[in-house]
Amino acid sequence: MKKQLEFFFDFMSPFAYLAETQLSALADRFGLEIRYVPLDLPVAKLAAGNNGPSNRQVPAKLRYLTADMQRWAKRYNLPPLVFPSNFASERANRGLFFAIDKGQQRDYVHQMFQAVWGRGEDMTDEAVLRRVAEGLGWSGDEFLAYTVGEDSARRFAEANKETHDRGVFGVPTMFVDGEMWWGNDRLQFVEEYLASQSS
Amino acid sequence: MKKQLEFFFDFMSPFAYLAETQLSALADRFGLEIRYVPLDLPVAKLAAGNNGPSNRQVPAKLRYLTADMQRWAKRYNLPPLVFPSNFASERANRGLFFAIDKGQQRDYVHQMFQAVWGRGEDMTDEAVLRRVAEGLGWSGDEFLAYTVGEDSARRFAEANKETHDRGVFGVPTMFVDGEMWWGNDRLQFVEEYLASQSS
């Protein structure tokens, strides 16, 4: 069985988007399977005991983080990120379990992040969700129903519980061999860890 | 006049300590003068609109950040950081203005950070403050009096105002040419910026 690189994320996060653009190449280079775990970031913060405002509610921090994410985009040779009009990511997050059952989780996460932060699309808009689903060869109706159904609700609740139990308080968070790293800016640490293990 | 590298910090911050260990070499390499600006971090967060808990009050985050800071110590070839028993940094921060008047700010910041995070000493203990001052050739009594006097109170208040006015919401924060970077983990970005300007 392949070693796992676990990726805890929420589609609302631009830094999770940035990390995802690098993740597949990293996993392939070290022969890892990526396990994607979607989570509700505001819930994860509260569950960790952080009842403070979101970064979007702290103007100076939002201004800086916006500059910072564009610096990273430049570093990764990506176009500038486009802020979506909406940060309500629950249906997009829950849709991951549909993708897992189809064995297409990697493509789903990539395509959804491209829609949200690559193009700034509104992930609460059913037309957006449908387009991603149909682009992956699925029935749009089936996918839309799944994202509000019982199965995705149960699995998303389990993922949020696992998030809390494993001490995840922010995204993106990566695990390899039980080691944890938080932040797009720690991908280099993950890479160095993997290189040290494979040498 | 030399170009300035501005360093906004609070002695309570382990990540400011980490950045400081690298700062002098970086400044010297690019011929920069370091301008040190001490600030009251809890006040800066509140002033920025962040009324959430400190990292020390979020157990999962504290656990992770502790591991993260030790990873950075290893990367910088430093001994592991030692948590001080006390995070009340006001007198140590205000003492910086005494050092500035003596032209010894660089040594002061380094020696105080070494006491606090290098050896885990209690920066509210007058014996600790005195030892740092006397190690720099100053009168301990004069220094101790200064850290509770009017001059340092006024200058510290001005520094906290500047912190807010310039959009600083965390430490360490660095500025060069008006560009801002937050975090020990952005020193590499500062270095790349400086290299791009001097080539």
Side-chain angles (χ1 to χ4, degrees):
Chain A
M1 199 184 130
K2 279 187 175 182
K3 186 186 275 205
Q4 278 190 339
L5 166 54
E6 296 180 294
F7 185 68
F8 285 67
F9 73 100
D10 183 329
F11 282 112
M12 75 160 60
S13 164
F15 292 98
Y17 159 83
L18 286 164
E20 191 280 330
T21 65
Q22 310 301 306
L23 207 66
S24 282
L26 181 67
D28 290 347
R29 198 169 134 210
F30 292 98
L32 305 175
E33 176 189 282
I34 304 172
R35 176 175 177 243
Y36 296 93
V37 184
L39 60 93
D40 185 317
L41 182 58
V43 164
K45 284 184 174 176
L46 273 176
N50 181 356
N51 57 2
S54 79
N55 291 332
R56 292 194 306 284
Q57 295 168 306
V58 180
K61 196 166 183 182
L62 177 61
R63 198 158 54 238
Y64 172 78
L65 291 178
T66 302
D68 188 59
M69 69 183 69
Q70 303 301 11
R71 284 174 176 156
W72 278 101
K74 204 169 163 192
R75 200 178 191 85
Y76 288 159
N77 282 315
L78 301 170
L81 280 71
V82 185
F83 268 79
S85 58
N86 203 300
F87 292 85
S89 52
E90 183 166 336
R91 290 184 79 176
N93 285 337
R94 284 166 64 175
L96 175 70
F97 301 108
F98 190 92
I100 288 173
D101 293 344
K102 301 276 189 191
Q104 289 172 270
Q105 55 269 44
R106 213 189 255 215
D107 285 344
Y108 174 74
V109 173
H110 186 69
Q111 294 303 334
M112 187 61 80
F113 265 131
Q114 287 300 312
V116 179
W117 289 100
R119 298 188 296 276
E121 294 176 4
D122 179 349
M123 61 190 143
T124 64
D125 180 349
E126 292 202 339
V128 170
L129 297 172
R130 178 184 295 278
R131 196 153 53 231
V132 170
E134 293 178 351
L136 293 164
W138 308 335
S139 150
D141 288 341
E142 218 183 294
F143 176 75
L144 286 175
Y146 183 83
T147 62
V148 292
E150 275 183 32
D151 191 70
S152 67
R154 181 184 52 76
R155 290 161 83 176
F156 193 46
E158 283 168 8
N160 281 306
K161 183 174 184 316
E162 180 181 352
T163 293
H164 179 63
D165 290 346
R166 293 182 67 184
V168 174
F169 54 86
V171 295
T173 292
M174 287 79 67
F175 287 92
V176 179
D177 298 334
E179 293 276 321
M180 170 175 160
W181 294 268
W182 170 46
N184 164 67
D185 54 9
R186 291 300 180 275
L187 270 183
Q188 203 189 325
F189 282 62
V190 178
E191 184 171 350
E192 289 172 17
Y193 172 81
L194 290 167
S196 76
Q197 296 303 104
S198 65
S199 64
Chain B
M1 200 184 129
K2 280 188 174 182
K3 186 185 275 204
Q4 279 190 337
L5 165 55
E6 295 179 294
F7 185 68
F8 285 67
F9 73 99
D10 183 329
F11 282 113
M12 74 160 59
S13 163
F15 292 98
Y17 159 82
L18 286 164
E20 191 281 329
T21 64
Q22 311 300 307
L23 207 66
S24 283
L26 181 66
D28 290 346
R29 200 171 131 206
F30 292 97
L32 306 175
E33 176 189 282
I34 304 173
R35 177 176 176 243
Y36 296 92
V37 184
L39 59 92
D40 185 316
L41 182 58
V43 164
K45 285 184 173 175
L46 274 176
N50 181 356
N51 56 2
S54 78
N55 291 332
R56 291 194 307 282
Q57 294 168 307
V58 180
K61 196 166 183 182
L62 177 61
R63 199 158 52 237
Y64 172 77
L65 291 179
T66 302
D68 188 58
M69 69 183 70
Q70 303 301 11
R71 284 174 177 155
W72 279 101
K74 204 170 163 190
R75 200 179 191 84
Y76 288 159
N77 281 315
L78 301 170
L81 280 71
V82 185
F83 268 79
S85 58
N86 203 300
F87 292 85
S89 52
E90 183 167 335
R91 292 185 77 177
N93 286 336
R94 286 165 63 173
L96 175 69
F97 301 108
F98 190 92
I100 287 174
D101 292 344
K102 301 276 188 191
Q104 289 172 271
Q105 55 269 43
R106 210 188 257 215
D107 285 345
Y108 175 74
V109 173
H110 186 68
Q111 294 303 334
M112 187 62 80
F113 264 131
Q114 288 300 312
V116 178
W117 289 100
R119 299 188 295 276
E121 294 176 4
D122 179 349
M123 61 191 142
T124 65
D125 180 348
E126 292 202 338
V128 169
L129 297 172
R130 178 184 295 277
R131 197 154 50 231
V132 170
E134 292 179 351
L136 293 164
W138 308 336
S139 150
D141 288 340
E142 218 182 295
F143 176 75
L144 287 175
Y146 184 82
T147 61
V148 291
E150 275 183 30
D151 190 71
S152 67
R154 182 184 53 76
R155 291 162 83 177
F156 193 45
E158 283 168 8
N160 281 305
K161 184 175 183 315
E162 180 182 352
T163 294
H164 178 63
D165 290 346
R166 294 182 68 184
V168 174
F169 55 85
V171 295
T173 292
M174 287 79 66
F175 287 93
V176 180
D177 297 335
E179 294 276 321
M180 171 175 158
W181 293 268
W182 169 46
N184 163 67
D185 53 11
R186 291 300 180 276
L187 270 183
Q188 202 189 326
F189 283 62
V190 178
E191 185 172 350
E192 289 172 18
Y193 172 81
L194 290 167
S196 75
Q197 297 303 103
S198 64
S199 63

